[in-house]
Amino acid sequence: MNNSKKTRGLSPDAYRVMDGRGYQPYVPPETSMREFTLRALVLGAILGIVFGAANAYLGLKVGMTVTASIPVSVISMALLRGLFKRGTILENNLVQTVGSSGESLAAGVVFTIPALILMGENPRILTVFLVAALGGLMGVFMMIPLRRWLIVREHGALPYPEGTGCAEVLVAGEEGGGKAKAVAGGVITGFLYKLLMDSHAFALWSDAPEWTLRKLKTAVGMDALPSLLGVGFIIGPRIAGWMLAGGALGWLVLIPLFGLIGQGLTTPLYPASVPIAEMGPGSIWSSYIRYIGAGAVTLGGLISLARNLPAMFSGFAAFIKQLSTKTPRVKAQTDSASVQRTDRDLPLKLVLGGCLAVALCLWLIPAMHLGLSGALLVVLFTFFFTVVASRVVGLVGGSSLPVSGMTIAALLGTSLAFAAVGFTGTLAKVAALTVGAVVCVGISTAGDISQDLKTGFLLGATPRRQQMGEIVGVLSSAIFIGLIIYLLHEAFGIGSRELSAPQATLMKLVVDGVLDGNLPWTLVFVGAAISLVVELLGVNSLPFAVGLYLPMSLSVPVMLGGSMRWLMERHPKRSEEDKRQGRERGVLLASGLIAGEAVLGMFIAGFIVLKKRLEWDFELAIPHFWGAQVEGWLGFLFLMGLAAVFFYLVQKRHAE
């Protein structure tokens, strides 16, 4: 490909509503180019494991994950061009296809599997691998037949924003060096910041400054983590503001209210075991507010799911109609040389055989604890929600995909089905959570491969090779995700302050509530009513509910990151192109901060586990003489300093 070709950008048809069969991709179908190479597979698998670990850490910490496609693309371009001195755009696309699968798979696993750990079950690493691998493969296989319909026929009508953005980044590959420096700078900064701050490392300042509000009988604070700053910039000021509003309701309204009501009580108020008068703000939150938050998140997730019902049912109906339409010519020529390179999928027989093999594994492997009924529920929910997820991410992007709502719906459906036939107890809970885990992984993977296939469609990649790459990425990441979770659990403890696992805790509460009926339902319904009122006010209740469910200290730095994006985008003297470049640099820096902190978190976890196993008496923390209050102010000042540097780099005009 000549240089002029490289700099011309995507065709204007990339954004036009049209039948995609007439679209001319960046790399023409008749062009032969390196794509499915060993180095692309290996590099993609390594990056998938790294960003999978980052998302596992972030998901267990704050209950949310971030997409890795664009950072993986940038790192891929830098390595293939810098280290190997060559690399095609289609090779880079394959790297991001393989690499992003690790991020999506980790999201599905950490939202659900830790719920089993919280129940005291401690599933084996083999079980975690099977859940991740089988759920991921199910999502990939079920998405493949949808490609011609969703990606090609619905081109333009379904813009797939992340997939299109990733294609733009890859086409603008000559900018890869500067962008790679942004990611690398974020990784190094996040790594060093956490090394100096973390209580398990040098502990030079507090990672969680907190101040007591005696008049309100509550406390406010912030988790001074660079990853949360990055998350806030990525999700933007609106969602960050809704999260902070939910946190403020919990900590500045509900906790003082419970404190006021309970100050005269001498007996415990269910579900707590001690009187409220003897509780601090954290105990009140743990005993009461988190149940209100759980009810709010559950209804918020279901509302988010219901909001997409028209698209879901129309998409599902169109899919059934497509299956019933006879297209013998396409089927006969799918594997023949007469079909263009850019229209070759994995054979339908292989896809159907793969789905059948996965279903049999779910049924017959004892470690899955599912049986025939559980396996059928997995196939049913995954099939339906894969169609839903693929269409929803095409309309609004992966960040708005209601994965939690879909998983909660699957858990509720499974738990109610089990309860209806009298299947209760611990084994029923394990089976229900396993169904939810496999479905959640399948949904996340289907959403990811949908974006990847859109990127490949715009660039002119070979779908068959992308689909094979996605399978490699799912299997390679599945091998390590169980080890990552258990390393973090042994070091910090899932359910602790360090790794609160909010999504998994919610999933456990849902299953316990249906199968045991031991939830404080009044508090849960109060939370659901709050979500309903918030929706009636015209606010998206799900991020608000997440803020109510999480400690407010997590929402404060997220809001700080969102505020920086707001300030950058509202600057009156900046052009739209400056703002676009600022957003792009900010996302890359933020992704680097998240990855750098998570990588060090994995190193610290490994160090703690090694210390326990070898009985070392060795600490990294440096002795110092200031008290907790000074450490708190230092944590606040250092995070504000990091935010100031971040904002300077984002809003600075670069001559790129």
Side-chain angles (χ1 to χ4, degrees), residues 220-529:
V220 295
M222 60 190 301
D223 285 3
L225 302 174
S227 61
L228 299 181
L229 203 66
V231 167
F233 188 90
I234 290 172
I235 66 175
R238 182 183 295 271
I239 295 177
W242 289 337
M243 284 184 62
L244 182 61
L249 176 65
W251 285 80
L252 300 181
V253 178
L254 295 181
I255 288 179
L257 186 60
F258 271 92
L260 178 64
I261 293 172
Q263 66 182 0
L265 297 179
T266 57
T267 57
L269 181 66
Y270 180 79
S273 57
V274 297
I276 294 177
E278 299 176 14
M279 293 182 180
S283 298
I284 294 176
W285 175 84
S286 178
S287 300
Y288 301 105
I289 308 304
R290 72 171 181 145
Y291 290 105
I292 295 175
V297 172
T298 300
L299 187 65
L302 295 177
I303 289 173
S304 178
L305 188 62
R307 188 180 286 115
N308 290 291
L309 280 177
M312 289 164 52
F313 286 119
S314 65
F316 195 75
F319 174 66
I320 297 299
K321 183 179 179 181
Q322 183 199 36
L323 288 181
S324 63
T325 303
K326 296 181 179 180
T327 54
R329 183 185 65 81
V330 173
K331 290 181 181 179
Q333 294 184 358
T334 297
D335 298 317
S336 71
S338 60
V339 176
Q340 288 185 329
R341 175 185 61 80
T342 53
D343 199 34
R344 295 175 190 164
D345 293 293
L346 287 175
L348 188 59
K349 290 182 180 179
L350 176 62
V351 172
L352 294 176
C355 287
L356 179 60
V358 171
L360 289 174
C361 289
L362 292 170
W363 173 23
L364 298 175
I365 295 179
M368 297 301 294
H369 304 291
L370 290 179
L372 179 59
S373 60
L376 290 175
L377 286 170
V378 167
V379 173
L380 177 65
F381 284 125
T382 306
F383 174 66
F384 179 73
F385 285 132
T386 293
V387 178
V388 171
S390 300
R391 188 169 182 85
V392 170
V393 299
L395 289 170
V396 297
S399 58
S400 299
L401 178 64
V403 175
S404 295
M406 294 180 186
T407 306
I408 289 171
L411 284 173
L412 284 172
T414 303
S415 300
L416 289 171
F418 287 171
V421 298
F423 181 34
T424 57
T426 301
L427 187 59
K429 294 178 185 179
V430 171
L433 285 169
T434 304
V435 168
V438 177
V439 172
C440 190
V441 172
I443 295 169
S444 298
T445 305
D448 173 68
I449 191 176
S450 300
Q451 300 286 3
D452 292 340
L453 288 173
K454 181 66 173 184
T455 302
F457 169 76
L458 295 174
L459 295 178
T462 308
R464 179 198 302 251
R465 291 171 179 170
Q466 278 194 280
Q467 291 153 8
M468 293 166 61
E470 192 84 19
I471 291 172
V472 171
V474 164
L475 293 177
S476 59
S477 297
I479 292 172
F480 287 91
I481 190 64
L483 295 171
I484 290 168
I485 287 177
Y486 272 95
L487 181 64
L488 291 170
H489 179 49
E490 186 173 349
F492 305 119
I494 289 177
S496 66
R497 180 190 171 278
E498 183 73 24
L499 297 174
S500 59
Q503 293 279 10
T505 302
L506 175 61
M507 304 303 172
K508 177 181 177 296
L509 290 175
V510 169
V511 173
D512 283 342
V514 175
L515 294 177
D516 288 347
N518 60 357
L519 278 180
W521 287 105
T522 301
L523 297 177
V524 172
F525 286 133
V526 167

Side-chain angles (χ1 to χ4, degrees), residues 84-347:
F84 296 101
K85 304 301 181 184
R86 59 179 183 171
T88 70
I89 192 171
L90 297 188
E91 256 187 311
N92 284 317
N93 178 59
L94 188 72
V95 172
Q96 74 84 16
T97 298
V98 178
S100 64
S101 62
E103 158 258 320
S104 63
L105 183 138
V109 170
V110 300
F111 284 1
T112 50
I113 286 294
L116 295 172
I117 296 175
L118 293 171
M119 287 176 57
E121 290 301 309
N122 292 324
R124 293 180 297 171
I125 291 179
L126 174 62
T127 303
V128 181
F129 166 76
L130 289 171
V131 167
L134 296 176
L137 290 174
M138 187 73 81
V140 173
F141 287 141
M142 289 186 171
M143 176 57 205
I144 289 173
L146 302 177
R147 187 193 66 85
R148 282 193 177 89
W149 167 50
L150 290 174
I151 307 297
V152 180
R153 302 288 182 90
E154 296 286 326
H155 173 61
L158 297 177
Y160 288 95
E162 285 97 341
T164 302
C166 189
E168 289 282 13
V169 169
L170 287 168
V171 168
E174 67 274 8
E175 300 177 16
K179 292 178 179 178
K181 289 178 182 177
V183 178
V187 169
I188 294 170
T189 302
F191 188 97
L192 293 177
Y193 188 99
K194 185 172 177 64
L195 179 67
L196 296 174
M197 171 201 67
D198 195 271
S199 58
H200 300 286
F202 292 120
L204 292 181
W205 60 84
S206 173
D207 60 351
E210 184 177 271
W211 297 272
T212 301
L213 302 179
R214 300 188 184 280
K215 294 292 185 182
L216 286 177
K217 297 183 179 179
T218 187
V220 295
M222 60 190 301
D223 285 3
L225 302 174
S227 61
L228 299 181
L229 203 66
V231 167
F233 188 90
I234 290 172
I235 66 175
R238 182 183 295 271
I239 295 177
W242 289 337
M243 284 184 62
L244 182 61
L249 176 65
W251 285 80
L252 300 181
V253 178
L254 295 181
I255 288 179
L257 186 60
F258 271 92
L260 178 64
I261 293 172
Q263 66 182 0
L265 297 179
T266 57
T267 57
L269 181 66
Y270 180 79
S273 57
V274 297
I276 294 177
E278 299 176 14
M279 293 182 180
S283 298
I284 294 176
W285 175 84
S286 178
S287 300
Y288 301 105
I289 308 304
R290 72 171 181 145
Y291 290 105
I292 295 175
V297 172
T298 300
L299 187 65
L302 295 177
I303 289 173
S304 178
L305 188 62
R307 188 180 286 115
N308 290 291
L309 280 177
M312 289 164 52
F313 286 119
S314 65
F316 195 75
F319 174 66
I320 297 299
K321 183 179 179 181
Q322 183 199 36
L323 288 181
S324 63
T325 303
K326 296 181 179 180
T327 54
R329 183 185 65 81
V330 173
K331 290 181 181 179
Q333 294 184 358
T334 297
D335 298 317
S336 71
S338 60
V339 176
Q340 288 185 329
R341 175 185 61 80
T342 53
D343 199 34
R344 295 175 190 164
D345 293 293
L346 287 175

